[in-house]
Amino acid sequence: MIKKLSLISLFTLLPASFYFAQTTVYAYVKDQDGKPLEKAEVDLAQSSDDVTVDKIGYFQFVDLKPGHYLITVTKPSFESKILEFDVTADEKRKDLGVITLSYSVGTDAGVVVIDDSANDTEDGGSAMQPTVGLLSSGRDAFQNVSAFELGAYWFRPRGVDNRFEDVVFNGVSMSKNDDGRIDFSNWGGLNDVTRYPYENVDNITPSEYTFGNLGGVVYYNTRASSYRKQTSLAYSFTNRSYLHRVMATYSSGLTKNGWAFTFSASRRWGDNAIIDGVYQDAYAYFGSIEKKFSDRHSINLTAFGSPTYRASNSPNTQEVYDIMGKDYNSYWGWQDGEKRNSRIRKVFEPMFMLTDYLKIGKSSNWTNTVSYQIGSDARSRLDWFHAADPNPTYYRKLPSYGLLTADEFKAQSQIDWDAIYNANYINRVDVNGNKRGAVYTIVEDVNKDKTFNWASHFDTRLKDNWKLNINFNYQNLKSDNFRRIKDLLGANFAYNLNAFNNDVQYDADNSNVQVKEGDRTQYSYELSRNQYSLNISSEVDFAKWNLVASVFSSYSEAYREGDFRSGIARFSNNSKGKSAIYDAVDAGIKGKITYKVNGKNFIVYNGAFFSLAPTLNEIYINPRMVDYVTPGVKNQIINSNDLSYIMRGQILKLRLSGYYTTISNATEISRYYADVSDGTLGNSFSTLVNEAMSGVNKRYIGAELGFDVKITPTLNAVGVASIGEYKYTNNPEVSTFDDLNGFRGTDVWGKANVKDYKVAGTPQKAFSFGLKYNSAQYWWVGASANYLMDQYLDLSALNKTPYMYTNPLTNDPYPGVTPELIQQITAQKKFDNQFMLNANAGKSFVFGKYRMGISVSVNNILNNRDYVTGGFEQGRNVNFNEALLDAQRATPYFGPKLWYDRGRTFFTNVYLRF
């Protein structure tokens, strides 16, 4: 207003010749169908004041002086357009006409197929999870490349894994309470309705809709009227985790009577894409219905789900891969002429949301969402009772052990389903004709969650340059966890007895130890959690500065309620019934400061300091048996800072960032079988160990560079460099729990000597360079070269403790122990650097109101099978002499278990939209 008054005053004083030196430039932005493109962004290169297109597609720049100008018009899901024009001294108004943006032809080219099969193993080790960036892309070159090029090889920007990312639907977080991770399979296959987030912020940048975490926020608004009016049909063919995908989506747009509808459905299916014995059949559905009562008020109902049935693939030791090849999977075997996989994940957790949108006054909005999510996540595996381990890769069956040759191992390298059924058949009755239980069964570990959420978002403009956001969230979780008999494999029944601890009853209050298919066995408990959180953020914009601040606080309380009373006497009072409440209070602050050097150059600082309450898996060290809280578990303390230089030129777009992050007081839980020497008893025993490292400190430091150079109007060069170091910075305390010994703490194990060990799960350095050609005839082709460095093996804590090399009888090192030998058997493995080549191409066609497109992308064109995407140490040997002997073998019995990249993969997609 002051600026306008000043101009009016000047007009009354200056000579008329000056009036004509100020020109208004305007235009309309529309799509290929001639419809206005509201909220498209128009960037004037010669000014720091960008504008946004209004509801009728109109924008204008006022008071432009004579000269040459360049604008860039952008909108998600459309190809950007650059226009140049001149303003002369005699022009009062300049009409640029209608600027038409074409629909993006590359929307499916960069699709990364999420495959979390690496998480289905119970062999221990780290979970290899993709990043949020795999499902979305922004305007930043680094974000795009790290998602679509490097992300295909499990690259995690800044080393941050899925635990520290946020995906939000209408204000409701999709992170799971058990481990804090995001289960993308809840909306897998719904690419059409989740392709373009409403908000996408990187790393610790503050969000308008939630406080966020370390790994950024992706916010989806599923309001039916926000989807473009059209019908879309698509078919995809790939060899990644399935073979075929069909997808159909319909959006009505807002009708005259105030209704809007968007529906989407898909199916993905296929078997043996690359890895043997892997198959998938997954459906997905989405429905959004909106009723607009007035320009100020509307209500939207959303429902979506993705019932998925998918087989898993095994990690293997290098010995197994050398014999069987990189496509080998030990989880399956032949049955009646068909491949049957023992590890099946069946998940269906539908979500229902009701959202109320209310506009208050001229500048305030209040949005409330209530949601309810139900369903189950079941993962199967072979179980055995007083029988031999049926795993074909059990170490005694490997050629290195000496019982079998390589050829003999190959001959029995898959699960022998006939032998398993035969063993159960022979054991059906005893010599007296009495029925006996199964020696082999298929069991399912089941998680049934019931989650209620209320998310409230209020925003208002206090002034033209000052915005305030308030977010409140409440969540109530009831999580039913149990193991059930899925298949008796021909047996009469199974025993609910602990074969690894003298056949004690898992449920001492139930005299019937026989369980049938569908019955619960071994463990059954419920976890409950209530959480309240408040987030307030504010943004103030000045001529040269932009300031954002965000604060939050939350309170949570959790407890366990067991259904089975353990047959082990010392655990009986802590296994059944309701536990004490574990509560936690969190708080934090984030800030962002942007200095606008000019319209093209910016300096941005982000800072965050906050606490993070432990997840349910971190609170309870072994919830399957007891309600014991993990020793030393605390809220994590996160301190993160980054500084960026950003250039947004018409020829060159660039971001250079440096970051420094510390995580303190973290808790890491692992579960695996361990061979532990007991010096007091003078023997060894094997037991399932629940291992916790508490008070873990880590440091993440590095730099990022991303650039996009327009070599010609149709040819772009895009490059990315990420150089990081992610490592442990202390020696955390170690405790374990098992049903033979109960708790064993630092007084037994000591501290894990892991200081300076590297954080596993991602390459710590990555580089990419690519070229992309966009033709004016609506076709494109691109290729990228990618180099990945410094990938490390995930560690096992127990064999890093003094217990591993100390005689518990004397508290002295075992004879022959030297620092060099300890280093030899505990050194962290670093994998070789790898080079990957990707390419993609596509073409779109317009036939009146019909649009058709085809695209293809190929990853790892050179079929590099040497890249290890993840792996972990086996925690079997917690004994110096045995560990040293194994390390000195040409082929260790207990070498690390690895997953390798699947080699050359492709994804083709064809769509029709009208």
Side-chain angles (χ1 to χ4, degrees):
M1 178 62 70
I2 294 174
K3 183 177 180 181
K4 291 181 178 178
L5 290 175
S6 299
L7 287 174
I8 293 173
S9 300
L10 285 172
F11 283 178
T12 63
L13 299 173
L14 296 177
S17 60
F18 183 83
Y19 299 171
F20 298 103
Q22 310 296 311
T23 304
T24 296
V25 175
Y26 64 95
Y28 292 85
V29 181
K30 298 183 178 181
D31 64 15
Q32 291 170 296
D33 300 325
K35 297 178 181 178
L37 286 181
E38 182 185 1
K39 294 185 178 179
E41 295 182 5
V42 186
D43 176 15
L44 181 65
Q46 290 74 19
S47 170
S48 60
D49 297 325
D50 300 342
V51 298
T52 302
V53 173
D54 65 16
K55 291 184 178 181
I56 62 173
Y58 179 80
F59 75 88
Q60 68 177 19
F61 289 98
V62 298
D63 302 339
L64 294 187
K65 296 179 180 180
H68 183 73
Y69 292 89
L70 186 149
I71 61 173
T72 302
V73 187
T74 59
K75 184 175 174 64
S77 77
F78 290 85
E79 296 286 354
S80 60
K81 180 166 286 189
I82 298 175
L83 283 85
E84 297 184 66
F85 60 90
D86 293 302
V87 172
T88 59
D90 59 348
E91 290 180 296
K92 290 184 178 181
R93 294 176 61 82
K94 186 176 185 69
D95 184 3
L96 299 180
V98 175
I99 301 173
T100 302
L101 298 189
S102 304
Y103 300 108
S104 174
V105 299
T107 54
D108 288 308
V111 172
V112 175
V113 179
I114 296 301
D115 175 24
D116 58 353
S117 58
N119 302 307
D120 297 334
T121 178
E122 289 194 355
D123 297 322
S126 63
M128 299 295 103
Q129 284 274 5
T131 64
V132 163
L134 291 173
L135 299 182
S136 60
S137 63
R139 297 173 60 187
D140 182 85
F142 186 91
Q143 185 184 11
N144 279 330
V145 172
S146 62
F148 296 133
E149 305 296 340
L150 299 174
Y153 306 110
W154 308 101
F155 170 73
R156 296 170 176 167
R158 303 189 181 183
V160 174
D161 68 15
N162 187 284
R163 165 73 171 89
F164 298 99
E165 297 169 346
D166 271 335
V167 172
V168 179
F169 278 76
N170 303 320
V172 175
S173 173
M174 302 302 291
S175 298
K176 296 295 185 182
N177 274 278
D178 56 353
D179 60 6
R181 297 182 182 275
I182 301 162
D183 190 351
F184 295 99
S185 64
N186 281 174
W187 62 93
L190 296 174
N191 301 61
D192 273 352
V193 292
T194 60
R195 180 171 288 117
Y196 299 108
Y198 192 77
E199 181 190 56
N200 189 354
V201 298
D202 293 337
N203 307 309
I204 56 173
T205 302
S207 163
E208 292 188 18
Y209 300 95
T210 184
F211 182 76
N213 208 309
L214 271 179
V217 176
V218 177
Y219 182 95
Y220 292 108
N221 179 3
T222 63
R223 192 171 184 174
S225 63
S226 67
Y227 294 98
R228 184 168 69 242
K229 180 180 179 181
Q230 69 171 9
T231 298
S232 176
L233 305 173
Y235 168 76
S236 304
F237 181 63
T238 180
N239 69 338
R240 293 177 180 170
S241 61
Y242 54 84
L243 296 178
H244 310 280
R245 184 187 73 177
V246 293
M247 185 163 54
T249 303
Y250 167 76
S251 295
S252 67
L254 191 64
T255 63
K256 293 181 179 179
N257 55 3
W259 288 91
F261 306 90
T262 296
F263 301 104
S264 186
S266 74
R267 184 189 179 197
R268 295 160 291 155
W269 74 99
D271 58 3
N272 297 330
I274 292 180
I275 304 298
D276 293 335
V278 173
Y279 41 87
Q280 177 171 316
D281 195 3
Y283 294 82
Y285 66 83
F286 173 93
S288 180
I289 302 173
E290 180 184 356
K291 172 58 179 175
K292 186 175 182 180
F293 300 101
S294 68
D295 290 338
R296 293 183 170 271
H297 187 214
S298 65
I299 292 179
N300 196 95
L301 175 65
T302 301
F304 62 87
S306 181
T308 301
Y309 180 92
R310 179 175 50 75
S312 302
N313 66 287
S314 63
N316 302 294
T317 62
Q318 190 60 52
E319 176 186 6
V320 173
Y321 283 122
D322 290 342
I323 297 171
M324 301 301 300
K326 302 291 174 56
D327 297 335
Y328 173 69
N329 177 15
S330 68
Y331 289 160
W332 69 274
W334 292 101
Q335 182 180 347
D336 298 330
E338 295 185 359
K339 292 181 178 180
R340 180 179 181 181
N341 194 307
S342 63
R343 301 287 185 104
I344 301 294
R345 184 184 182 194
K346 189 175 182 180
V347 57
F348 180 37
E349 298 177 309
M351 172 73 84
F352 304 91
M353 294 180 161
L354 184 65
T355 305
D356 181 85
Y357 299 91
L358 182 64
K359 186 173 180 62
I360 303 172
K362 295 182 179 181
S363 57
S364 301
N365 299 281
W366 190 21
T367 304
N368 288 274
T369 298
V370 290
S371 73
Y372 188 62
Q373 187 174 23
I374 57 175
S376 68
D377 186 347
R379 307 182 189 219
S380 70
R381 62 186 299 271
L382 266 170
D383 197 19
W384 56 98
F385 185 83
H386 293 300
D389 188 338
N391 178 8
T393 60
Y394 181 61
Y395 78 98
R396 294 177 184 270
K397 300 177 183 179
L398 298 178
S400 60
Y401 194 74
L403 297 179
L404 300 176
T405 66
D407 289 337
E408 289 171 333
F409 172 76
K410 284 184 178 180
Q412 57 184 48
S413 58
Q414 304 301 150
I415 293 175
D416 191 340
W417 290 107
D418 290 340
I420 287 173
Y421 273 89
N422 189 51
N424 276 346
Y425 178 78
I426 294 173
N427 198 64
R428 284 177 64 88
V429 295
D430 61 19
V431 293
N432 297 319
N434 299 316
K435 290 184 177 180
R436 300 175 64 182
V439 292
Y440 293 105
T441 57
I442 295 286
V443 296
E444 280 185 312
D445 292 309
V446 184
N447 172 262
K448 287 188 173 183
D449 284 355
K450 296 178 181 179
T451 309
F452 171 81
N453 289 278
W454 172 36
S456 182
H457 169 81
F458 175 80
D459 65 75
T460 185
R461 286 203 172 272
L462 303 176
K463 292 184 177 180
D464 288 344
N465 66 333
W466 186 7
K467 186 175 183 181
L468 176 70
N469 305 293
I470 302 175
N471 301 297
F472 175 78
N473 293 79
Y474 167 72
Q475 183 179 84
N476 174 264
L477 168 74
K478 298 290 185 182
S479 179
D480 190 13
N481 298 265
F482 58 91
R483 178 171 285 178
R484 69 183 172 203
I485 301 295
K486 181 181 181 181
D487 193 337
L488 287 169
L489 302 175
N492 298 306
F493 55 84
Y495 293 110
N496 194 21
L497 300 173
N498 188 343
F500 295 96
N501 195 345
N502 301 315
D503 289 353
V504 299
Q505 290 180 233
Y506 284 108
D507 185 7
D509 291 343
N510 187 352
S511 60
N512 180 19
V513 298
Q514 299 180 8
V515 286
K516 300 291 185 67
E517 289 180 3
D519 290 345
R520 299 191 180 202
T521 182
Q522 302 184 24
Y523 70 88
S524 177
Y525 64 93
E526 184 177 86
L527 295 175
S528 299
R529 186 168 190 170
N530 285 299
Q531 184 171 16
Y532 310 80
S533 61
L534 176 66
N535 165 234
I536 301 174
S537 65
S538 185
E539 179 178 2
V540 184
D541 196 45
F542 300 103
K544 285 287 187 178
W545 297 87
N546 177 272
L547 308 177
V548 183
S550 179
V551 297
F552 99 105
S553 181
S554 73
Y555 170 77
S556 64
E557 53 185 24
Y559 63 88
R560 174 192 181 273
E561 188 164 3
D563 299 322
F564 289 175
R565 187 179 307 280
S566 174
I568 303 172
R570 65 180 182 276
F571 303 141
S572 61
N573 294 331
N574 294 90
S575 51
K576 186 174 183 178
K578 185 176 178 180
S579 71
I581 291 176
Y582 182 94
D583 57 9
V585 177
D586 280 325
I589 185 169
K590 285 185 175 182
K592 178 183 178 182
I593 302 174
T594 303
Y595 174 67
K596 308 171 188 176
V597 179
N598 52 42
K600 295 181 179 180
N601 297 276
F602 306 84
I603 297 174
V604 181
Y605 165 78
N606 285 287
F609 183 79
F610 59 96
S611 62
L612 195 63
T615 65
L616 293 173
N617 278 1
E618 293 166 347
I619 294 172
Y620 301 104
I621 191 169
N622 186 15
R624 292 183 176 184
M625 176 174 287
V626 291
D627 60 14
Y628 293 160
V629 173
T630 303
V633 65
K634 297 178 182 178
N635 292 25
Q636 296 185 61
I637 304 299
I638 296 174
N639 184 5
S640 185
N641 298 268
D642 66 45
L643 184 65
S644 300
Y645 165 69
I646 299 172
M647 175 186 287
R648 290 176 53 190
Q650 304 307 318
I651 302 300
L652 172 64
K653 289 182 171 62
L654 177 146
R655 175 168 69 84
L656 175 63
S657 302
Y659 59 89
Y660 183 91
T661 299
T662 60
I663 299 176
S664 306
N665 294 335
T667 299
E668 297 187 359
I669 304 288
S670 298
R671 297 178 173 93
Y672 54 86
Y673 282 94
D675 286 343
V676 181
S677 174
D678 191 318
T680 303
L681 299 178
N683 58 20
S684 298
F685 57 87
S686 296
T687 183
L688 178 62
V689 168
N690 300 270
E691 170 199 279
M693 285 199 303
S694 55
V696 177
N697 296 339
K698 302 177 186 178
R699 187 190 72 189
Y700 301 75
I701 186 171
E704 299 170 337
L705 171 66
F707 65 84
D708 186 336
V709 181
K710 187 172 288 295
I711 301 173
T712 72
T714 55
L715 179 64
N716 284 53
V718 181
V720 155
S722 176
I723 301 174
E725 182 188 61
Y726 322 132
K727 69 178 185 179
Y728 294 85
T729 57
N730 73 327
N731 294 324
E733 296 186 351
V734 176
S735 57
T736 61
F737 177 86
D738 63 80
D739 60 3
L740 291 176
N741 301 282
F743 269 126
R744 287 185 161 192
T746 306
D747 57 329
V748 174
W749 303 112
K751 294 187 175 184
N753 297 309
V754 299
K755 185 178 180 181
D756 294 328
Y757 278 66
K758 299 301 193 294
V759 176
T762 179
Q764 301 208 359
K765 297 180 179 66
F767 306 89
S768 179
F769 179 78
L771 295 172
K772 184 173 181 180
Y773 180 82
N774 282 288
S775 169
Q777 302 302 314
Y778 304 112
W779 63 268
W780 51 266
V781 62
S784 71
N786 307 280
Y787 193 64
L788 304 148
M789 302 174 59
D790 295 359
Q791 173 89 308
Y792 291 88
L793 186 71
D794 203 8
L795 59 89
S796 173
L798 284 190
N799 61 15
K800 307 298 185 297
T801 64
Y803 187 97
M804 201 273 294
Y805 53 83
T806 303
N807 187 332
L809 291 177
T810 64
N811 288 326
D812 294 323
Y814 288 109
V817 172
T818 64
E820 292 75 19
L821 289 177
I822 294 174
Q823 170 66 19
Q824 178 182 335
I825 62 179
T826 62
Q828 188 176 26
K829 181 176 178 57
K830 179 182 178 181
F831 299 112
D832 294 337
N833 302 334
Q834 301 294 332
F835 175 78
M836 305 290 186
L837 188 64
N838 300 343
N840 50 71
K843 166 71 175 170
S844 70
F845 309 87
V846 179
F847 308 101
K849 68 175 184 178
Y850 294 92
R851 299 181 300 280
M852 180 179 176
I854 184 170
S855 62
V856 59
S857 63
V858 183
N859 287 345
N860 197 352
I861 293 175
L862 302 179
N863 199 34
N864 180 356
R865 299 305 303 272
D866 295 328
Y867 178 54
V868 178
T869 60
F872 56 91
E873 290 180 332
Q874 293 196 70
R876 298 282 303 218
N877 286 328
V878 192
N879 173 277
F880 177 78
N881 292 325
E882 293 179 3
L884 179 61
L885 181 62
D886 200 43
Q888 291 175 340
R889 293 188 179 100
T891 305
Y893 294 167
F894 303 110
K897 289 200 170 183
L898 312 172
W899 286 277
Y900 276 92
D901 186 75
R902 297 186 176 188
R904 185 184 301 111
T905 61
F906 65 87
F907 189 92
T908 59
N909 185 72
V910 59
Y911 68 83
L912 177 66
R913 295 171 185 161
F914 53 91

